[in-house]
């Protein structure tokens, strides 16, 4: 194939396209200017205001708690689901596979309204519990996908070898399966955690009055120009945090060097 | 030898059920049933205090044919289709580069694409909002270069909405295309060239058909995602840019008209299902059924640790 | 001679066909017993059922009189050397070897001692702290053997352990396995599709095909007196000639081979039914040149042939010859006068060296 420069050029442009807004955002969080039209000097002012902003921290902790809870349930459910899908074939698993794969394709709005519908008709109050259920539901599919990818590399004959050597069910599970699957589980957990912290649309539909998560707070803050620079600062911090988590998750999702 | 003692082995299906049930039940209860519920609730009456009224009615569904819904639907469809095209056009070269790169550079590229994707969606939209703000850097820069007039607004602009839409959806196009491009055998292109085909001809006749599956997946993902989008038009665009998703949210949360919102959502579901159904039927009609029978029983825990 | 391990009419169906179709075997204590056959013959499935990694649909497996059929794998005094070694990648060599002892809850110092002893036995002293990823194929195989043997199993199962290794290494490890067996007092069951391995290693071989046992015997019995044409074709090379008429006699049968005439063949062990299509099998090394023969002591069958092709193999030259419209092979040792394409030969063979089989079996693939 002719070594056309076009794809490479375009890829570089696309990468710039991806990163430029974020870079500008990060820069502007240190910019004295309110709208970032021009550089008016370095400042920590916005971070300072952020630090003192109580609602932000309250929302942050609510997001953390929900994320922790949702991560726990989605990882447990997702690991079981992945094991089932990997080890077994047949009608049950085909249906199971469909059910697990569909949430990945469904638009957030659809999931949001459908969950609202079922909570409204069954009388479940909207609050921490409803958000936790919603988050677990969409995280489950992602965790399952990560675990499945990891399981593809898992050599099942190792379990047979363990049994052959005299390990009972529990010993084989704890000494062979779990240690080898652990990085995948951790990767799935980190993915679920970041998805939960990030989510806006679905949470918007199923949150009640007292459970404002961070994204919901940011969205209401975005409507007034007064708060723009604080959001810059907050965003920068979140970008840094997500970067770290993403890098960790990526390293853990890869197969072992064998 | 004596006749064998018949042994019925305990090849129990129990472990499979133990592993499958938790996620099956959870998703059944919180994903499958709710989706069905939306369709059902479209036929209920609305209670003025929010929530559902007692009886059944076709009002919500009938309203779909009246303003503003048809125009909304058309706009949503048009924007989704256009953004799908743009995304595919941009994603193809990127997927190409990723697949052709050496493993190390490929991983680096992938990381560079994935990381912004992992940052909070709202923040990414906000980054654009602040970038496109009339007093923001981009406007100032463009004005200096006399590319736009003093009054031009970059926000509340359909073009900007499309731009940000493409921005947020591009990764959804890149991933399936990347997966397909990785599996593509590039020596086929060398063979085509060897046989006298020009690069363009090889691209359209060999490469694109070869990644057909990936193209369809990418198109489907972007289309469905954009159909349901509501944050981007709301934040970046003006009232003339509103899409279905925002209307659903408005009806459900602001107007507290759940049946109407459900009717809209059900319409959205159908709109998303249709292209998928078409694609699946087309696929099924073209592929022959191949069944493989292996000679060794599969290894499952039930064999190794009989219940 | 006690029947140590008994397989009694074991059946295993999968995907609508019988993968193991009623196999019964009696294996003696301390012997090396091979299950030999082409892919898909059921040998691996049978091995896995002995190990407990698969359950038979019917039939029994008895070890020293105890019925093991329903015992789960981890409770059987049987250990396996897997084809892909199945070494635990997250554990060191020492931890791999000690795995079974740990599962049996032995004390740490005892385990350490056994592991060291095993490492010495397989000649990998000092490798304890290494990881499987750092080992070569041959080293991994030895660790797999050590890991299985350290538990002092009553039966050691080996599932094509040399399949993944190159020729030289295979030959070397084959000898090591023989030496190992002499040192430990364990029954080996060896699964392979390579008849050379089976012949050189085993006390007895069971030749399997399509889930059934074709023949059980010592390597010599199987090679010199195959019971079916499949066994004759699978073990070593052989030439097949179709037979149009066979007249049974007491000591000899007289058979008509189209294009070549009548031959005297020793009476077969099995009784091929006269009405069915038959063929005779002659090993290439049993075809001799007339000029080499000393004055014949007993009846000999002779026929003319032309050399069609010669293939040089280093240790010998293989001649492809045409005789009466049939293609046969014949090895020429290096010290024989070289045969050339087109040469005419007169060949003879001893009636005792030819075997009659029913021709219902699928024809053997042409040798070379």
């Amino acid at each position: 194939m002719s070594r056309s420069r076009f794809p490479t050029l375009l890829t570089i442009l696309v990468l710039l396209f991806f990163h430029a807004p974020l870079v500008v955002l990060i820069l502007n969080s240190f910019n004295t200017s309110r709208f970032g039209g021009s550089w008016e000097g370095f400042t920590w002012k916005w971070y300072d205001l952020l630090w003192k902003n109580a609602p932000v921290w309250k929302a942050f902790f609510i997001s953390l708690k929900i994320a922790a809870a949702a991560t726990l349930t989605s990882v447990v459910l997702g690991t079981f689901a992945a094991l089932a899908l990997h080890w077994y074939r047949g009608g049950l698993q085909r249906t199971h596979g469909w059910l697990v794969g569909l949430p990945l394709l469904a638009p957030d709005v659809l999931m949001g309204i459908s969950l609202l519908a079922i909570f409204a008709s069954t009388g479940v109050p909207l609050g921490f519990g409803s958000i936790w259920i919603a988050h677990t539901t969409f995280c489950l599919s992602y965790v399952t996908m990560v675990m499945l990818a990891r399981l593809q590399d898992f050599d099942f004959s190792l379990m047979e070898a363990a049994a052959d050597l005299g390990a009972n069910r529990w010993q084989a599970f704890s000494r062979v399966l779990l240690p080898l699957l652990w990085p995948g589980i951790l990767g799935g957990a980190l993915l679920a955690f970041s998805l939960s912290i990030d989510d806006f649309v679905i949470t918007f539909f199923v949150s009640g009055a007292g459970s404002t998560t961070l994204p919901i707070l940011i969205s209401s803050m975005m409507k007034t120009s007064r708060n723009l620079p604080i959001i810059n600062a907050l965003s920068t911090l979140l970008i840094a945090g997500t970067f770290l988590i993403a890098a960790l998750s990526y390293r853990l999702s890869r197969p072992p060097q064998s | 030898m004596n006749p064998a003692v018949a042994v019925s082995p305990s090849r129990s299906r129990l472990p499979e059920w133990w592993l499958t049930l938790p996620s099956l039940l959870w998703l059944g209860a919180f994903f499958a049933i709710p989706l069905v519920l939306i369709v059902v609730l479209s036929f209920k009456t609305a209670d003025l205090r929010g929530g559902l009224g007692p009886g059944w009615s076709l009002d919500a569904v009938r309203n779909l044919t009246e303003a503003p819904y048809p125009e909304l639907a058309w706009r949503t469809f048009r924007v989704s289709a256009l953004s799908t095209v743009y995304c595919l056009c941009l994603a193809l070269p990127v997927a190409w580069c990723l697949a052709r790169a050496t493993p190390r550079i490929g991983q680096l590229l992938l990381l560079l694409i994935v990381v912004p994707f992992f940052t909070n969606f709202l923040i990414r939209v906000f980054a654009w909002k602040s970038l496109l703000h009339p007093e923001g850097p981009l406007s100032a820069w463009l004005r200096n270069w006399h590319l736009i007039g003093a009054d031009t607004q970059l926000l509340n602009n359909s073009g900007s909405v499309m731009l940000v839409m493409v921005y947020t959806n591009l990764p959804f196009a890149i991933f399936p295309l990347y997966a397909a491009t990785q599996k593509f055998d590039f020596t086929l292109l060398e063979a085509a060239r060897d046989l006298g085909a020009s690069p363009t001809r090889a691209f359209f006749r060999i490469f694109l058909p070869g990644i057909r599956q990936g193209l369809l997946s990418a198109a489907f993902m972007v289309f469905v995602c954009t159909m349901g989008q509501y944050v981007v038009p709301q934040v970046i665009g003006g009232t003339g840019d509103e899409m279905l998703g925002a209307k659903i949210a408005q009806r459900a949360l602001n107007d507290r008209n759940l049946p109407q919102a459900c009717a809209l959502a059900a319409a959205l579901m159908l709109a998303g299902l249709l292209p998928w159904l078409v694609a699946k039927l087309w696929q099924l009609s073209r592929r022959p059924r191949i069944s493989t029978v292996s000679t060794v029983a599969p290894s499952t825990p039930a064999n190794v640790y009989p219940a | 001679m006690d029947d140590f391990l008994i397989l009694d009419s074991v059946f295993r169906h999968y995907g609508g066909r019988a993968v193991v179709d009623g196999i019964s075997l009696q294996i003696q204590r301390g012997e090396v017993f091979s299950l030999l056959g082409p892919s898909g013959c059921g040998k691996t499935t049978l091995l896995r059922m002995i190990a407990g990694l698969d359950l038979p649909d019917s039939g029994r497996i008895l070890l020293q009189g105890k019925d093991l059929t329903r015992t789960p794998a981890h409770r059987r005094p049987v250990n396996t050397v897997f084809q892909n070694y199945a070494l635990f990648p997250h554990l060191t060599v020492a931890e791999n070897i000690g795995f079974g002892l740990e599962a049996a809850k032995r004390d740490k110092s005892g385990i350490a001692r056994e592991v060291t002893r095993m490492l010495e036995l397989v000649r990998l002293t000092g490798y304890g702290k290494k990881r499987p990823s750092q080992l070569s194929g041959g080293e991994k195989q030895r660790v797999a053997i050590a890991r299985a043997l350290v538990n002092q199993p009553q039966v050691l199962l080996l599932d094509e352990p040399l399949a993944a290794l190159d020729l030289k290494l295979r030959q070397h490890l084959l000898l090591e396995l023989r030496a190992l067996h002499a040192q430990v007092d364990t029954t080996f069951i060896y699964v392979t599709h390579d008849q050379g391995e089976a012949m050189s290693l085993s006390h007895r071989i069971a030749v399997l095909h399509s889930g059934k046992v074709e023949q059980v015997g010592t390597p010599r019995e199987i090679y010199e007196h195959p019971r079916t044409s499949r066994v004759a074709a699978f073990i070593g090379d052989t030439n097949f000639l179709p037979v149009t008429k066979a007249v049974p006699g007491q000591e000899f049968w007289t058979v008509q081979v189209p294009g070549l005439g009548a031959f005297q063949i020793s009476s077969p062990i099995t009784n091929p039914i006269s009405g069915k299509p038959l063929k005779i099998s002659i090993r290439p090394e049993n075809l001799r040149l007339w000029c080499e023969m000393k004055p014949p002591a007993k009846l000999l069958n002779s026929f003319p042939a032309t050399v069609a092709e010669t293939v040089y193999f280093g240790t010998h030259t293989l001649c492809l010859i045409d005789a009466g419209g049939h293609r046969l092979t014949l090895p020429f040792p290096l010290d024989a006068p070289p045969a050339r394409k087109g040469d005419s030969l007169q060949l003879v063979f001893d009636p005792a060296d030819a075997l009659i089989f029913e021709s219902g079996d699928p024809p053997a693939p042409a040798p070379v």
Side-chain angles (χ1 to χ4, degrees):
Chain A
M1 194 60 200
S2 63
R3 292 253 151 247
S4 160
R5 287 264 169 248
F6 178 67
T8 327
L9 231 69
L10 206 62
T11 308
I12 296 179
L13 276 173
V14 166
L15 284 176
L16 283 173
F17 179 49
F18 272 169
H19 290 259
L22 299 177
V23 170
V24 172
L25 194 74
I26 297 176
L27 286 176
N28 270 338
S29 67
F30 300 106
N31 189 351
T32 321
S33 153
R34 188 171 279 274
F35 297 106
S38 51
W39 184 261
E40 285 169 27
F42 188 92
T43 178
W44 287 106
K45 176 166 71 173
W46 311 119
Y47 287 92
D48 195 48
L49 277 173
L50 177 67
W51 184 257
K52 298 199 182 95
N53 189 323
V56 167
W57 292 105
K58 182 158 178 247
F60 179 63
F61 283 119
I62 292 183
S63 281
L64 270 184
K65 277 191 282 189
I66 292 180
T71 302
L72 196 60
T73 35
S74 60
V75 163
V76 170
L77 291 172
T79 307
F80 281 4
L83 286 173
L85 286 170
H86 183 75
W87 278 337
Y88 300 102
R89 301 271 176 271
L92 177 64
Q93 290 314 316
R94 265 201 297 271
T95 317
H96 187 212
W98 270 105
L99 206 53
V100 169
L102 271 178
L104 295 171
L105 297 173
D108 286 353
V109 181
L110 208 57
M111 283 197 76
I113 183 95
S114 66
L115 282 165
L116 179 63
I118 199 157
F119 291 147
S121 33
T122 52
V124 173
L126 298 179
F128 191 94
S130 60
I131 306 183
W132 165 68
I133 291 177
H135 283 211
T136 305
T137 310
F138 68 75
C139 284
L140 204 158
S141 305
Y142 285 96
V143 172
T144 310
M145 289 303 144
V146 168
M147 292 298 308
L148 264 178
R150 206 55 168 69
L151 278 171
Q152 307 278 23
D153 297 322
F154 183 76
D155 182 7
F156 186 74
S157 61
L158 292 175
M159 291 295 283
E160 294 185 334
D164 180 82
L165 291 165
N168 60 29
R169 238 186 283 233
W170 172 249
Q171 285 170 320
F173 175 76
S174 59
R175 283 190 222 193
V176 181
L177 189 63
L178 209 55
L180 286 172
L181 243 61
W182 184 243
I185 294 178
L186 217 53
L190 285 172
L191 180 62
F193 191 80
S194 52
L195 283 172
S196 169
I197 292 241
D198 262 9
D199 181 70
F200 168 65
V201 177
I202 300 182
T203 317
F204 192 58
F205 275 91
V206 298
S207 63
S211 49
T212 311
T213 63
L214 194 57
I216 294 185
L217 186 67
I218 294 180
S219 132
S220 61
M221 280 167 77
M222 277 191 345
K223 300 208 167 86
T224 57
S225 295
R226 198 164 56 89
N227 289 316
L228 282 183
I230 302 182
I231 307 182
N232 277 342
L234 180 58
S235 307
T236 308
L237 289 177
L238 283 174
I239 290 173
T242 322
F243 184 88
L244 278 165
I245 294 184
L248 259 173
S249 168
Y250 174 72
R251 293 200 90 216
L252 289 167
S253 307
R254 280 185 310 172
Q257 323 295 112
S258 60
Chain B
M1 271 270 100
N2 292 328
V5 174
V7 170
S8 60
S10 59
R11 239 188 292 276
S12 126
R13 307 261 298 177
L14 217 53
E16 185 183 353
W17 281 97
W18 275 116
L19 286 175
T20 314
L21 268 179
S23 44
L24 198 67
L25 287 177
W26 184 283
L27 286 173
F30 297 118
F31 180 69
I33 293 180
L35 286 181
V36 172
L37 199 60
I38 294 182
V39 181
V40 170
L41 288 184
S42 319
F43 296 102
K44 284 222 109 196
T45 56
D47 184 293
L48 283 171
R49 280 174 294 129
L52 303 159
W56 300 88
S57 120
L58 280 176
D59 280 341
V61 180
R62 225 175 318 167
N63 281 339
L64 290 180
T65 51
E66 292 165 34
Y69 300 120
E71 207 213 310
L72 203 62
W74 171 241
R75 190 187 306 138
T76 309
F77 178 81
R78 201 185 58 222
V79 171
S80 306
L82 261 178
S83 76
T84 304
V85 172
Y86 290 147
C87 280
L88 280 181
C89 289
L90 283 178
L92 261 175
V94 177
W96 174 280
C97 272
L98 272 172
R100 303 276 279 171
T102 61
R104 282 203 66 199
I105 300 189
Q107 272 185 358
L108 180 66
L109 278 177
L110 207 57
L111 202 64
L112 283 176
I113 294 173
V114 162
V115 164
F117 179 60
F118 266 114
T119 52
N120 192 313
F121 168 68
L122 274 182
I123 289 178
R124 278 182 286 147
V125 177
F126 174 72
W128 276 105
K129 177 168 179 151
S130 121
L131 198 62
L132 295 170
H133 198 276
E135 293 174 52
L138 200 60
S139 303
W141 191 71
L142 287 175
R143 252 179 242 130
N144 276 339
W145 284 73
H146 301 289
L147 285 170
I148 56 172
D151 293 336
T152 324
Q153 277 266 41
L154 285 179
L155 283 179
N156 295 348
N157 185 323
S158 306
S160 305
V161 173
M162 182 61 77
L163 178 73
V164 183
M165 207 81 95
V166 169
Y167 177 81
T168 46
N169 287 329
L170 200 51
F172 287 112
I174 293 183
F175 294 137
L177 274 180
Y178 168 58
T181 323
Q182 258 210 327
K183 290 201 200 104
F184 182 76
D185 180 7
F186 281 93
T187 58
L188 290 177
L189 291 176
E190 289 174 4
R193 189 138 172 262
D194 182 76
L195 291 166
S198 68
T200 330
R201 192 183 179 76
F203 181 79
F204 282 103
R205 293 287 301 270
I206 309 285
F207 182 64
L208 286 185
I211 56 167
R212 185 181 44 215
Q213 194 60 37
L215 279 172
L216 283 173
S217 302
F220 182 72
M221 286 220 68
V222 176
F223 185 76
V224 168
C225 268
T226 323
M227 288 278 280
Q229 247 322 342
Y230 94 84
V231 174
V232 175
Q234 212 173 48
V235 172
I236 305 286
T239 44
D241 296 305
E242 195 188 21
M243 294 193 0
L244 259 181
K247 216 38 158 203
I248 296 179
Q250 186 186 21
R251 290 281 174 268
L253 302 165
N254 295 355
D255 305 341
R256 311 201 125 232
N257 186 344
L258 203 52
Q260 190 68 68
C262 287
L264 267 175
L268 183 64
M269 245 199 324
L270 283 169
L273 270 174
L274 233 58
W276 173 83
L277 256 161
V278 169
K280 253 302 161 175
L281 286 171
W282 181 65
Q283 214 179 36
L284 278 174
S285 68
R286 298 184 91 224
R287 295 263 156 89
R289 299 249 164 186
I290 307 171
S291 64
T292 51
V293 179
S294 75
T295 52
V296 184
S299 290
T300 66
N303 289 349
V304 174
Y305 290 109
Chain C
M1 280 229 290
D2 58 319
D3 288 344
F4 191 62
L5 174 67
I6 300 179
L7 300 172
D8 183 4
S9 299
V10 174
F11 279 87
R12 177 74 168 102
H13 302 271
Y14 184 63
R17 47 175 273 237
V19 178
V20 173
D21 201 355
I23 291 192
S24 298
L25 292 171
Q26 300 88 47
I27 298 165
Q28 313 301 322
R29 177 198 291 272
E31 71 172 337
V32 177
F33 190 92
S34 287
L35 301 173
L36 175 65
S39 328
C41 69
K43 56 191 193 294
T44 302
T45 311
L46 195 61
L47 196 78
R48 288 167 58 82
M49 289 197 280
I50 301 176
L53 299 172
D54 201 351
L55 291 169
D57 289 319
S58 67
R60 296 184 305 159
I61 299 174
L62 299 138
L63 182 61
Q64 285 197 295
K66 265 182 58 183
D67 191 336
L68 277 189
T69 326
R70 306 290 297 276
T71 319
H74 62 281
R75 280 203 273 258
R76 297 192 190 195
V78 169
N79 288 125
T80 309
V81 177
F82 290 79
Q83 186 173 358
N84 67 341
Y85 319 127
L87 299 181
F88 303 121
H90 61 298
L91 300 176
T92 63
V93 165
E95 286 167 346
N96 261 283
I97 297 179
F99 188 87
L101 299 173
E102 258 192 69
K105 304 212 175 53
R106 296 269 294 273
D107 62 300
K108 277 205 161 56
S109 54
I111 296 180
R113 234 180 311 122
E114 290 294 311
V115 169
T116 319
R117 190 174 72 86
M118 266 300 138
L119 283 172
E120 271 178 41
L121 190 67
V122 295
R123 305 201 282 114
L124 282 179
T125 320
Y127 275 63
K129 291 231 171 22
K130 293 205 177 194
R131 288 199 178 253
S133 54
Q134 297 170 293
L135 303 176
S136 72
E139 289 163 350
K140 281 192 217 179
Q141 201 245 36
R142 280 185 266 166
V143 173
I145 295 174
R147 184 178 71 174
L149 278 179
V150 78
N151 306 295
Q152 294 180 318
Q154 292 181 13
V155 183
L156 181 70
L157 307 173
L158 300 109
D159 186 4
E160 307 207 46
L162 307 181
L165 306 170
D166 60 63
L167 185 64
K168 283 278 163 236
L169 200 52
R170 238 186 293 155
Q171 292 171 340
H172 177 71
L173 281 168
L174 206 56
L175 294 173
E176 283 207 17
L177 275 173
R178 278 175 68 128
L180 206 62
H181 178 258
Q183 280 182 282
V184 302
D185 182 29
T186 315
T187 312
F188 279 24
I189 301 186
Y190 193 91
V191 159
T192 181
H193 63 269
D194 183 319
Q195 36 131 335
E197 278 174 30
M199 303 261 278
S200 52
L201 202 57
S202 332
H203 294 110
R204 288 193 305 151
I205 304 176
V207 182
L208 299 173
H209 190 279
S210 295
K212 288 195 167 47
V213 176
E214 294 267 317
Q215 185 174 358
V216 178
T218 65
R220 182 177 285 267
E221 282 167 15
I222 293 206
Y223 188 80
E224 291 181 6
H225 304 289
R227 277 176 184 273
T228 72
S229 64
R230 270 206 207 92
V231 177
F234 193 78
I235 311 282
D237 291 323
T238 191
N239 293 302
F240 282 112
L241 288 169
V243 160
T244 46
K245 201 165 71 159
V247 179
Q250 196 150 22
E251 220 194 318
F252 296 116
W253 281 38
T254 311
V255 299
Q256 284 281 5
V257 177
L260 288 181
F263 294 119
Q264 313 279 85
I265 312 288
S266 298
S267 298
I269 317 167
T270 57
N271 278 324
I273 304 165
S274 240
K276 294 185 115 194
L278 300 171
K279 56 188 179 192
I280 57 174
S281 143
I282 311 168
R283 297 234 183 251
E285 63 268 20
N286 290 329
L287 285 170
R288 288 177 217 155
L289 293 176
W290 176 260
C291 54
E292 285 179 9
M293 301 305 306
K294 300 196 257 301
K298 33 188 197 296
L299 288 166
L300 286 175
N301 305 294
S302 91
F303 60 93
T306 331
V307 177
E309 292 271 0
T310 61
V311 186
Y312 178 67
F313 272 99
T315 50
H316 63 278
T317 303
L318 194 70
C319 288
L320 296 166
I321 54 179
D322 284 323
H326 311 288
R327 178 59 68 95
L328 305 170
T329 59
L330 168 67
F332 259 63
L334 281 182
D335 53 0
R340 271 187 309 257
K341 200 164 159 175
D343 282 359
S344 292
L345 306 168
Q346 188 73 17
L347 298 172
V348 298
F349 65 92
D350 190 306
D353 286 335
L355 303 161
I356 313 179
F357 298 113
E358 286 178 14
S359 197
D361 310 324
V368 175

